[in-house]
Amino acid sequence: LEARVVFLIDTLHNPKGGGSGPRLLEVEEGDVETAVWVKGEKADPEPLQPARERANAMVAAESRRLLYVALTRARDRLYICGARGEREHKDHWLGLIDAALDGHE
């Protein structure tokens, strides 16, 4: 799937989708895996921190995979856009793109 022109219009979004991160965490204890529904990151008890970190890493990896797919679909032109403001997040796509292009003009 390819297009002559591709616009990435929301490159400053939060890859977690709302800031609270995944609500369903997979908790491993020994040989047993359990899924736990949680209220949100701020309400996580300390024993859930490793599960939260794994879930956040999976979300970040999926976000980077989707960015790669988006970047590789343009045949002739690629426009990268984003409006700075409240929704801006430190792990946004524009930041990843800026870091990758740093020093390459």
Side-chain angles (χ1 to χ4, degrees), residues 31-63:
D31 294 337
V32 178
E33 286 187 27
T34 306
V36 178
W37 184 264
V38 293
K39 189 173 185 178
E41 222 168 328
K42 293 178 182 175
D44 287 349
E46 191 172 325
L48 289 180
Q49 290 307 313
R52 169 65 63 194
E53 290 169 9
R54 282 192 307 276
N56 286 343
M58 288 174 50
V59 168
E62 177 65 5
S63 177

